[in-house]
Amino acid sequence: MENIENKNDIMLEDAAKIIKLDGDNATFEMKNGFLALTVKAGDEEQIYDRVFLHRAFPHELLWEYISVTGSENKEVGLIYNIDDFSSDVVELLKTEINRKYYSPVISEIYSVKERYGFSYWKVRVDDGRTLNFTMQDTFGKIIRIGEDSAILVDVDGNRYTIKSILELDKKSYRRIELYL
Amino acid sequence: MFVSDKIPTYIYTSLNEEGVDIEKIMLATYCDMNDDHIFCDTYVIATTDNLYVLSGTVTLEHGADGKSRALDKVWKETAFREYDVENIERLSCEELISSARLTAKTSDGRTIFLTAMTNTCRSSVLLFIKYFERMKKGQISSPDFEIDAEDDPKERCCPKCGMRYPDRNRKICPKCMEKGKLYRRFGMFLVKYKTYIAIMLLSLVLLTLTGVLVPYVSNEFFYDEVLSKNGSFFGEVLFVVGLVVATRLLSQIFTVINGFISAKISAKIVYDLKMTVFKAIEKLSLSFFGNRQTGGLMAQVNNDSNTIYSFFCDGVPYFLINIVQVAVICVLLFIENPLLAALSLVTVPVFFFIILRTYRKEMKLHAKTYSSTRALNGQLVDVLGGMRVVKAFSQEDAEIKKFDRVSRRASKHHKKLSLFNNYVYPSVGLILYLGNIIALGVGGWMVISGYHDFTYGKLLKFVAYVNMIYSPMYFFADMVDWSAASTNALQRLFEIYDTEPDISEKEDAITPENFEGKVEFCNVDFSYTKNRKVIDNVSFEIEAGKTLGIVGHTGAGKSTIANLIMRLYDCDEGKVLIDGIDVKDLSFKALYDNIAIVSQETYFFIGSILDNIRYANPSASYEEVVRAAKLAGAHDFIIKMPDAYNTMIGFGYKGLSGGEKQRLSIARAILRDPKILILDEATAAMDTETEKMIQNAITSLTKGKTTIMIAHRLSTLSDADELIVIEHGKVAEKGTHKELLAIENGVYNKLYTLQAEALKNAGITE
């Protein structure tokens, strides 16, 4: 029995084993437009032609706990802090993460029109563009993040972020207030 | 040619300059980003030989001569790439969060990044990929091929205004939707109640008339004709009192008639509406439910019918009657005393202006109260449902705090709404009342000064009529929101009513007399969402009466195979055949009478155990039910219950253990006595002991039937006549247990060894 328990412990430990990726054991680079990774483990080198980055806590820690998976969707390792890499790699990783989590930040809400179960939004986003989008089930598709932020998901699945609802101008606040 | 979005002429010019033969273009789609994820216009174009990616931006410039003030669109190409279609194995649309990437897998195993896009362009790109695959397979070879009706870009846009439908599955353009059409359609629905509605309207008209008569009899007639010495009925008080009583009585009779008809008709219409929605929902395919929340559907069946009823049966008739009442009274007032009428009604537009402004504020307060109450209910359901977990982790205090916060918020909004209703409405009502005061003051002066024979009785009648105008005003203010809510509900009702089930029975569907039970899959492809193949080119065959085991990791597509045999979904490509007949050609009766499924998820409806076992065959005798329960190993535990087979189970009644539920569901399947039996992880939730017990039940169930067993515990499948191993939606291996074990490094071999080791470690030997 004792033997079985020990074995189980070992299996659990294996399952929970996290490979920490940092500047010493991991080299990220762009290959054919995709992010590639080489991981050193002792004398051996494992090369991944394509890796994907996932934030473990996308609403809390933007540049920490980044999971790196290979094309088989298995985790290669975990970046505890993006600053564990050299500045050019940080730039590379940030670009890739920003691309994945791209979500225009709404700075002003020009209008919200409700019609037959859909709401039509006209907003200004942080890069100055004016965007129009449509939401269905508006109450359900505004995801509150903490007390002050929100994510709006439109009918196509595009996401729009409001970093601080309270910091919106009065008119914009009044337009979204109903759905909060 | 498939062109998912309009391609401007300057793009054709640009492509021409790059040497692309425009005549040969088979497919074209638009993306709003380039391969650097930078916003620009990117067009992906395919001919049978080449795939082109063209990126650039459009700027607005004055005419080439520099004099013209008109702005022209000028295309500035930034990138042009060309690939051989022959070298491309497949295209994929990889989802990110708000964006996606179109990539190509080449025949030498490389992946090429073609372009990025926001999710807005994704559905068009997925269609592009679908036809690209067909082109690769040689199914389409010339630009004039026909696209599937549902993929026609025109089908995705409103034919009237050209705007894209917000939801592809709901072909409703909110901009062009005609309210009138909806109401007319609902009117047709009410036609069968026309007699009741006519009586109700008549009683309302009579009610209004008697209502108008009362002030006349009890004021002008009483004071000027009975109490006045010059009156034609001077001194006949009893007669007038009798007249007043008779008028009141008549009014009361009409009220009772109206109430009676209204109560009768309301129950009928609400019942009818709920049945219409429910019947329509029952007809729909499983995919419809996958896209919607069950809670939303429940609300639709319950609330919408009430909303529609109350608007049409309470709102519209009163609205019409009120309009008539206001119009008649206004005419009477102006005939009686135009000056006083104009002065008394001057407050009405002011009232309307203010009430509509405060109304918006009230709506906001209502919405806030509604959302906080919803949050409070949600919190309550959540905590009560998970009370075991709360107690297990000693989180009672934390939950109380959470509840307190949500409850406080709800209470705050309720308070605000109550205060608003109690202060604002009476204050706004004062404005209307001002008209009444004007009528009394100016009217009083007119009586004293003998202005145009204006008598005391006439004044009292006048004031009573003015008051009768005020009460409908509140009603009219409410109608705006009422009509919006009911239009919304009507639109949802007809949306469900009009939804065509994805899976429909052919008109000439076949019901074979002798069902053998041979099942064949011929090159079947299937995806729940476009371009995400769950089943990829799967082919296999099971002879009637044989057992096929399906093995694979979680999410490999095993249960989807069961869904396709049952025709809960239709395959995208290939064929599913039963006894050599395509399942699409078989009648639903033939399918459902001859196929039964026992799955890991058992569901029982509210009712007795007897009812639930009989669900499979309502005409089964008591003896057949008991025999089925015995075979399933359920009889022994059922008989121990005080109410035995009459024990109520299902939502809110007796809870059964996992093993008990499973045995009942097997009993249900035994009673159906199907030719094809699907066991979808039927014993997955059980411990080995229970599993062994149930195994006997399963053996008796599968005897002589074509059986498809899906299991991740391989030991349960070793007796199957044939096994197929599914990996990423494809058949990875095929053969008997022995044959598959013999494949060194084979998927089955690996899985089997792994499971056997795990069981050994846990001290279980098979």
Side-chain angles (χ1 to χ4, degrees), chain A residues 4 7 33-34 50 96 99-100 102 115-118 120 129 136 139 155-159 177-178, chain B residues 36-37 39 94 97-98 101 111 113 119-120 164 166 170 174 177 179 367-368 487-488 491 761:
Chain A
I4 291 170
K7 232 177 187 179
F34 300 116
R50 258 196 101 177
E96 196 64 10
R99 282 176 176 180
K100 175 168 177 169
Y102 162 73
R115 263 191 110 149
Y116 309 117
F118 296 101
Y120 295 83
R129 284 179 304 146
Q136 191 181 5
F139 274 101
V155 286
D156 291 313
N158 294 311
R159 287 167 169 235
E177 189 194 10
L178 258 186
Chain B
D36 269 331
H37 286 252
F39 282 100
E94 299 174 2
I97 306 279
S98 269
R101 285 169 171 171
T111 307
F113 186 5
N119 284 340
T120 311
R164 201 168 63 115
R170 271 170 93 183
M177 198 175 72
K179 268 192 205 176
K368 278 184 183 174
T487 312
N488 227 336
Q491 185 250 310
N761 284 340

Side-chain angles (χ1 to χ4, degrees), chain B residues 591-664:
Chain B
L591 277 172
Y592 302 143
D593 277 358
N594 292 291
I595 306 175
I597 186 161
V598 179
S599 67
Q600 189 183 342
E601 283 169 45
T602 49
Y603 191 84
F604 295 102
F605 297 97
I606 299 171
S608 65
I609 289 181
L610 176 69
D611 296 336
N612 271 291
I613 298 179
R614 265 187 184 161
Y615 196 77
N617 179 8
S619 59
S621 67
Y622 291 109
E623 197 190 332
E624 283 170 318
V625 171
V626 173
R627 203 160 50 94
K630 274 224 155 211
L631 278 171
H635 178 75
D636 292 347
F637 79 79
I638 297 173
I639 218 74
K640 278 182 201 153
M641 294 175 187
D643 299 314
Y645 282 89
N646 296 119
T647 307
M648 291 294 283
I649 52 170
F651 184 76
Y653 287 98
K654 184 171 173 54
L656 299 170
S657 74
E660 287 170 344
K661 278 186 193 165
Q662 203 57 262
R663 276 176 272 178
L664 278 189

Side-chain angles (χ1 to χ4, degrees), chain B residues 191-219:
Chain B
V191 161
K192 56 183 157 187
Y193 303 104
K194 55 179 185 283
T195 323
Y196 284 115
I197 291 173
I199 299 173
M200 205 165 82
L201 281 175
L202 187 69
S203 65
L204 277 173
V205 170
L206 293 172
L207 196 67
T208 315
L209 285 180
T210 49
V212 175
L213 213 60
V214 170
Y216 173 73
V217 177
S218 52
N219 295 312

